Amino acid sequence: MENSSSNNRFRSTVFNHDDEDQDKEYVGFATLPNQVHRKSVKKGFDFTLMVAGESGLGKSTLVNSLFLTDLYKDRKLLNAEERITQTVEITKHTVDIEEKGVKLKLTIVDTPGFGDAVNNTECWKSVADYIDQQFEQYFRDESGLNRKNIQDNRVHCCLYFISPFGHGLRPLDVEFMKALHEKVNIVPVLAKADTLTPSEVKKKKIKIREEIEQYGIKIYQFPDCDSDEDEEFKQQDLELKESIPFAVIGSNTVVEAKGKRVRGRLYPWGIVEVENSAHCDFVKLRNMLVRTHMQDLKDVTRETHYENYRAQCIQSMTRMVVKERNRNKLTRESGTDFPIPVVSGVTDNETEKLIREKDEEVRHANHEPESHYQHDHDHEHEPEHNTDHNECSESPANPETHSDQLVDEAL
Ligand code: GDP
C-alpha cells in the first residue's frame, strides 16, 4: 500500500470529516469536483436570456433591474405610425459581469416589435427562426473541422411577459408559447404586478396556470428536488413551482424607503420595492435564473431542445439523401449520369430503421406519446418544399445551400 507523506496530507484535508473513509486507500479522484470547478471558473460562464412579449410591458426595465446594468442605452422607441407595419426585430446585447472572480458573459436577446403591428399573425415566426438559426450555427460548428472555441449562442431561457391587464392569456400568448415550447425553456412572467392587488395577482396566476395546462403549453419544468434534500430546501422548491407565472415589478430608479435606498417605484400613495418579496416575485425569479437553475436551463437546452433540433436535422438530411439516391437510380436507368452523394452500404430499409430508432430516442427524451412524431413520417412523401419549420431544410438562413452543405458535412 502506497502511503507517501504527501498523500497522507491530502487525505487528511479531503477526508478529515469522515472516519470511515480514513481507512480506505486514497487514489485522488475526490479532487475531481475541485478540478472541474477551477477549470470552469477560469473559462468563465455564459448565459443567453431572451425576453419576449408585447412592447411596453416592462421587459427592458426588468432586465436592467435583474442584472443591475443599463443594457438599453441606445434604444430607439418607435412612434405609433412606425409600429403599424412593424416587423419583429431581434436585437442582442452582451455584457460581461464579474462577481467574486467568477465571470459571466450574459447575452440578452430582445424582440422589439413583437405584437406591435396591426396584424400580428405569425409574429412569433421570426423569434422561432432566430432560435433555430442559433441551433443550426451550433450544429454546423460542432460538425465542422475546428470544434475548439465554438461560440455558443443558443438561447437558454425565454422570459415571456404576460400583460396584467387581460383576463389570463391572450391568443397571441398561446400561439407564441405553443410555437416555441419545444425550442426553448419558456418561463412565463406576469408583468407590472404593481398594477394589481394581491388577490388579483393570486387569481390571475391560477387562471394562467390553468390555461397553460388547458392549451398543452410545455413551459420550463423545475426539476424535482432529491428526496434527501432538507425540508427548508423542499419548501423553497415548492414555493418556486407555485409562483409560476412570476409576478414581477421592474424599476430603473433608486428611491428611499424607511431610511434605506432601494430599487423601487414611487407613487403618491407609497413605494413598491422591487426586491421586497411581499411586493412581488422579483427576487424569486432572479434567484431561480442566477443562483439555482442557470445550469439546469443550460442542460435542458442542450439535452432536450438542441437534441430535438439535431435529430430532426439529421432525419431530414437522411431523407433527402434517400430521395436523391432513388431519383439517381431512376435517372441512371433512363441513361443520364448525375453524381449525388450516397450513404455507402446503407439500404433504404436500414436508413428507415435508423430514423425510427432516432425518433424513439427523441420521444423518450421528451416523454412524449408515440403519435407525436408519426406526423413526420406521414409527410415523408410530400413534395420537397416541406413546410414544417422545425425541419433543418426549412431553416430561414439560405435554406437550400445550408441543407446541401449539412448533407455534405454529414457524409
Ligand atoms: P418594454 O417595451 O417591454 O421593454 O418596456 P419598458 O421597460 O420600456 O417599460 C415601458 C414603461 O413601463 C416605462 O414607462 C416603464 O417605466 C414602465 N414600467 C416598467 N416596468 C414596470 C413595472 O413593473 N410596473 C409599472 N407600473 N410600470 C413599469
Side-chain angles (χ1 to χ4, degrees):
M1 181 166 126
E2 191 194 293
N3 224 345
S4 77
S5 61
S6 65
N7 258 1
N8 273 337
R9 214 174 37 237
F10 219 151
R11 177 155 78 180
S12 63
T13 54
V14 176
F15 287 140
N16 59 4
H17 60 286
D18 195 337
D19 288 346
E20 230 178 77
D21 285 333
Q22 295 264 350
D23 304 331
K24 288 185 194 158
E25 198 173 350
Y26 180 69
V27 177
F29 54 78
T31 65
L32 271 172
N34 302 349
Q35 294 176 35
V36 174
H37 174 84
R38 220 173 309 129
K39 217 170 162 181
S40 343
V41 169
K42 210 168 146 197
K43 203 167 142 224
F45 296 83
D46 55 48
F47 188 71
T48 301
L49 176 71
M50 173 180 264
V51 283
E54 218 181 296
S55 73
L57 284 183
K59 297 186 292 298
S60 350
T61 314
L62 190 82
V63 165
N64 287 340
S65 314
L66 278 173
F67 300 101
L68 303 176
T69 47
D70 188 4
L71 275 151
Y72 293 86
K73 280 187 255 26
D74 317 315
R75 186 162 71 143
K76 179 178 168 268
L77 291 173
L78 300 180
N79 61 32
E81 198 186 341
E82 287 168 316
R83 287 185 356 216
I84 291 175
T85 52
Q86 164 81 21
T87 48
V88 184
E89 217 190 302
I90 308 280
T91 59
K92 234 170 93 171
H93 304 262
T94 301
V95 275
D96 291 304
I97 343 183
E98 192 168 333
E99 200 177 81
K100 294 187 182 167
V102 177
K103 291 186 211 110
L104 174 71
K105 181 169 162 268
L106 174 74
T107 305
I108 303 291
V109 180
D110 201 350
T111 55
F114 177 81
D116 266 6
V118 172
N119 182 357
N120 288 308
T121 326
E122 300 210 332
C123 74
W124 45 265
K125 193 147 190 337
S126 43
V127 183
D129 286 347
Y130 177 83
I131 293 173
D132 278 345
Q133 277 165 18
Q134 309 317 308
F135 282 153
E136 184 183 333
Q137 189 56 50
Y138 193 84
F139 184 42
R140 286 170 165 288
D141 289 350
E142 69 166 5
S143 329
L145 282 178
N146 185 3
R147 301 201 298 159
K148 264 193 188 163
N149 308 324
I150 294 181
Q151 183 149 15
D152 184 2
N153 290 318
R154 293 172 295 183
V155 181
H156 301 121
C157 177
C158 170
L159 288 185
Y160 187 75
F161 285 64
I162 299 166
S163 167
F165 309 119
H167 299 282
L169 296 178
R170 296 162 314 157
L172 184 62
D173 300 332
V174 177
E175 247 190 69
F176 178 91
M177 289 196 269
K178 284 199 85 160
L180 276 100
H181 63 181
E182 282 183 347
K183 295 177 187 293
V184 66
N185 294 312
I186 297 177
V187 173
V189 298
L190 182 57
K192 297 190 175 180
D194 55 324
T195 58
L196 302 167
T197 65
S199 77
E200 283 171 332
V201 168
K202 209 170 157 196
K203 274 192 215 141
K204 278 222 160 108
K205 280 188 173 197
I206 295 174
K207 178 108 198 285
I208 291 168
R209 281 203 297 265
E210 279 170 4
E211 288 179 333
I212 285 175
E213 175 95 27
Q214 181 191 339
Y215 292 111
I217 298 165
K218 287 180 255 161
I219 55 169
Y220 170 62
Q221 292 299 312
F222 299 113
D224 289 331
C225 57
D226 296 333
S227 50
D228 58 352
E229 293 288 2
D230 59 42
E231 281 310 311
E232 195 190 335
F233 187 87
K234 282 185 186 164
Q235 184 57 33
Q236 280 174 2
D237 189 65
L238 189 71
E239 275 176 30
L240 192 67
K241 286 174 182 158
E242 285 174 354
S243 303
I244 290 287
F246 294 101
V248 292
I249 299 171
S251 166
N252 282 332
T253 49
V254 173
V255 290
E256 195 151 328
K258 296 176 211 132
K260 271 199 298 182
R261 292 184 60 72
V262 292
R263 211 168 245 259
R265 306 185 68 83
L266 179 64
Y267 291 110
W269 50 90
I271 288 171
V272 263
E273 296 167 40
V274 168
E275 297 191 25
N276 184 336
S277 52
H279 294 186
C280 71
D281 301 325
F282 175 87
V283 173
K284 265 191 206 136
L285 172 69
R286 189 177 60 193
N287 283 350
M288 187 283 286
L289 275 181
V290 183
R291 293 191 183 185
T292 54
H293 289 72
M294 187 178 270
Q295 193 52 47
D296 188 63
L297 287 160
K298 292 178 78 171
D299 291 346
V300 177
T301 304
R302 198 188 61 238
E303 289 160 14
T304 307
H305 300 304
Y306 175 64
E307 200 54 27
N308 261 343
Y309 173 86
R310 196 172 167 278
Q312 283 165 7
C313 228
I314 292 172
Q315 282 170 15
S316 61
M317 286 185 327
T318 319
R319 284 197 189 108
M320 271 168 52
V321 171
V322 172
K323 263 190 217 163
E324 280 292 312
R325 200 172 60 157
N326 288 344
R327 201 185 304 159
N328 189 37
K329 264 192 216 154
L330 285 176
T331 43
R332 237 192 259 146
E333 274 157 21
S334 63
T336 330
D337 199 12
F338 181 64
I340 53 127
V342 177
V343 185
S344 59
V346 182
T347 67
D348 282 6
N349 283 344
E350 275 169 333
T351 313
E352 281 306 309
K353 192 169 151 246
L354 284 173
I355 294 173
R356 268 199 304 279
E357 279 169 11
K358 195 70 209 175
D359 278 346
E360 196 59 44
E361 206 181 298
V362 172
R363 242 189 335 265
H364 253 280
N366 291 340
H367 308 291
E368 280 175 4
E370 192 132 334
S371 59
H372 187 79
Y373 282 89
Q374 193 62 38
H375 174 80
D376 254 18
H377 292 294
D378 292 343
H379 289 74
E380 214 164 281
H381 301 294
E382 274 183 10
E384 285 206 46
H385 51 270
N386 196 336
T387 50
D388 181 350
H389 92 174
N390 271 335
E391 296 264 333
C392 168
S393 55
E394 190 54 20
S395 170
N398 201 357
E400 281 130 36
T401 46
H402 276 195
S403 46
D404 281 357
Q405 283 168 15
L406 287 171
V407 170
D408 286 349
E409 277 167 21
L411 289 171

